[in-house]
Amino acid sequence: MQRGVSRRLRVVHMTSVHSAVDPRIFHKECRSLARAGFDVTVVGPYHEDTAADAVRIKSVRKDRSRLTRMTRTAWRVYDRARREGADVYHFHDPELVPFGLFLSLCGKSVIYDIHEDLPKDVLSKHYLPPWSRPLMSWVVKGIERFACGRFAALVAVTPSIAGRFARINPRTVVVHNFPYADELIAEEAAVPWDRRHQSVAYVGGITVQRAIREMVAAMALLPDSLQARLELAGPEIPQEADSAALRRHPGWSRVRHHGFLDQPTTFRLLHSVRAGLVLFHPEPNHVEAMPQKIFEYMGAGLPVIASDFPLWRRIMGEAGCGIFVDPTNPSQIAKAIEYVLSHPREAEEMGRRGQMAVAERFNWNSEASKLVRLYEQIESELCAA
């Protein structure tokens, strides 16, 4: 941008992995930037070109296999984004790093939004041979060090991720993936506790590492007198979790798998149950994670049955809304579910405390202001150039 130009920045968000209407990318970041007056487009997998909430959506086709997604889909995203002629390119996936570097070399301001601690994540990838994971982690860390110092800014989803990059790129900003409090705590969404189902919910990716086997096994351990159900909302069960074996398990008779749900339907589901489950295994990339589902459960007024990680104990323990278990122990999980469902007054009070914490602290409003300030800094620099 030239000095004296009054228009706001033209911004393109890029993703080859997530949907173009992903909750963090579209509903939070893009909408917040558009409300702040920026010209915003998101390029990513979707079924059509459209516009919503002052954000243009440019769709690309997403390939099915991992390899083609990392190559052909990523190229489609870059090619379509490049043709937008934006001032700032904000990308969300590691496979887009090479394209981000090229855009930066072409004089564009590029922001990398880092959702995962990738070197730690590689150590848990089931599709990589175990012997290769430390080497791949080391390679990934080297690529990050080379690339991330060359971007205009980095946006990290947790403080632990940001801590790895602060020396590499001094413009590293933590933007937590907290929910919109008003969408979860709206008066019309409230459901009296005695009208909620005798159910618990898990929302998100359904994998072995996120305890799908233990959740199903725990349901089989609940007493027959407790009419309990697990409401499971997420994509199809992956091959490594052995869907057929899960469906043969006695606990599956108490599971209802809804498949993938959009955000409004997810929130309605959460307001109909009595607890939320987040039982990640203690993988390197999990223990310092801050999954969005934790704060969505809290915002919906649910007690949270969670893995006993120190960070999660600080967040939910201090709020007084968590029950902490060994995520690999179905018996502990079942006891926590039984307690919540058989002690409705205590469970409701836990839910209220968690909801208050979201209303006061763990919500998107403060995070949006940090993102907008970052863009205003970049805009000021471009206008002065």
Side-chain angles (χ1 to χ4, degrees):
M1 294 176 65
Q2 297 177 350
R3 184 187 298 272
V5 175
S6 60
R7 70 172 176 84
R8 301 306 300 267
L9 292 178
R10 292 194 64 189
V11 176
V12 170
H13 278 242
M14 304 162 58
T15 178
S16 56
V17 175
H18 307 276
S19 165
V21 294
D22 174 82
R24 176 177 174 85
I25 298 169
F26 175 81
H27 288 282
K28 295 175 186 172
E29 294 187 340
C30 290
R31 288 170 65 196
S32 297
L33 292 169
R35 289 168 183 166
F38 296 104
D39 184 320
V40 184
T41 300
V42 56
V43 177
Y46 200 56
H47 61 274
E48 64 176 349
D49 289 358
T50 186
D53 295 328
V55 178
R56 289 184 297 278
I57 299 169
K58 302 294 184 180
S59 64
V60 299
R61 183 167 57 86
K62 183 177 181 179
D63 292 284
R64 290 185 176 272
S65 77
R66 184 176 291 108
L67 179 60
T68 53
R69 187 203 74 204
M70 294 174 67
T71 54
R72 195 161 55 193
T73 304
W75 169 261
R76 290 192 193 106
V77 169
Y78 161 73
D79 187 53
R80 184 126 205 220
R82 175 188 56 82
R83 285 185 273 136
E84 291 296 313
D87 304 302
V88 177
Y89 287 89
H90 186 143
F91 71 94
H92 294 262
D93 311 305
E95 46 261 65
L96 295 175
V97 165
F99 302 111
L101 282 171
F102 185 73
L103 288 165
S104 183
L105 287 171
C106 291
K108 302 297 185 179
S109 293
V110 177
I111 300 172
Y112 181 16
D113 203 311
I114 308 169
H115 298 199
E116 304 282 350
D117 192 325
L118 193 58
K120 290 182 179 179
D121 192 38
V122 167
L123 295 173
S124 304
K125 293 297 187 185
H126 66 274
Y127 55 81
L128 293 174
W131 62 264
S132 71
R133 296 172 194 171
L135 175 61
M136 287 298 298
S137 178
W138 178 79
V139 170
V140 164
K141 188 177 292 186
I143 293 171
E144 284 185 333
R145 286 174 180 164
F146 172 80
C148 289
R150 290 162 172 78
F151 296 139
L154 306 176
V155 172
V157 75
T158 68
S160 64
I161 294 175
R164 290 204 303 112
F165 292 99
R167 291 185 179 180
I168 299 171
N169 191 321
R171 186 175 275 168
T172 299
V173 179
V174 179
V175 178
H176 293 100
N177 206 21
F178 295 154
Y180 283 103
D182 55 351
E183 292 181 351
L184 280 163
I185 309 176
E187 185 175 343
E188 59 270 20
V191 177
W193 202 259
D194 59 3
R195 287 175 49 197
R196 293 184 177 228
H197 303 309
Q198 282 285 90
S199 302
V200 297
Y202 171 77
V203 175
I206 300 172
T207 67
V208 171
Q209 293 81 9
R210 298 187 179 196
I212 181 56
R213 291 172 179 165
E214 290 84 356
M215 287 189 282
V216 173
M219 298 308 295
L221 298 176
L222 294 172
D224 293 337
S225 59
L226 197 63
Q227 300 299 309
R229 185 185 293 273
L230 168 61
E231 306 288 353
L232 195 63
E236 289 302 311
I237 299 169
Q239 183 177 357
E240 64 270 16
D242 196 346
S243 174
L246 282 174
R247 294 174 189 277
R248 290 194 300 269
H249 193 286
W252 190 262
S253 64
R254 289 183 160 187
V255 176
R256 180 161 54 187
H257 185 199
H258 297 263
F260 176 80
L261 300 179
D262 61 22
Q263 194 171 70
T265 309
T266 296
F267 289 173
R268 285 196 295 273
L269 175 68
L270 295 182
H271 281 282
S272 73
V273 301
R274 299 194 179 204
L277 307 181
V278 54
L279 298 164
F280 289 10
H281 286 187
E283 304 281 355
N285 194 38
H286 286 167
V287 294
E288 291 291 329
M290 297 174 65
Q292 176 178 250
K293 62 178 62 62
I294 288 176
F295 306 102
E296 289 179 344
Y297 295 160
M298 291 167 63
L302 298 177
V304 184
I305 299 171
S307 305
D308 195 0
F309 298 158
L311 175 62
W312 295 9
R313 186 174 279 276
R314 286 200 301 273
I315 293 170
M316 290 173 276
E318 290 176 5
C321 65
I323 299 176
F324 303 97
V325 299
D326 176 353
T328 66
N329 187 324
S331 178
Q332 285 191 24
I333 298 168
K335 287 178 181 177
I337 293 172
E338 183 177 358
Y339 180 85
V340 166
L341 297 182
S342 58
H343 294 78
R345 290 185 180 178
E346 292 91 332
E348 183 176 13
E349 185 56 35
M350 290 175 68
R352 284 176 179 161
R353 291 195 293 265
Q355 195 169 66
M356 184 178 299
V358 168
E360 295 177 352
R361 181 181 174 190
F362 300 119
N363 63 75
W364 178 248
N365 289 343
S366 60
E367 306 308 302
S369 64
K370 290 191 287 187
L371 184 67
V372 170
R373 282 198 300 272
L374 172 64
Y375 270 79
E376 289 174 342
Q377 291 169 6
I378 293 173
E379 180 181 47
S380 178
E381 292 170 3
L382 291 175
C383 287

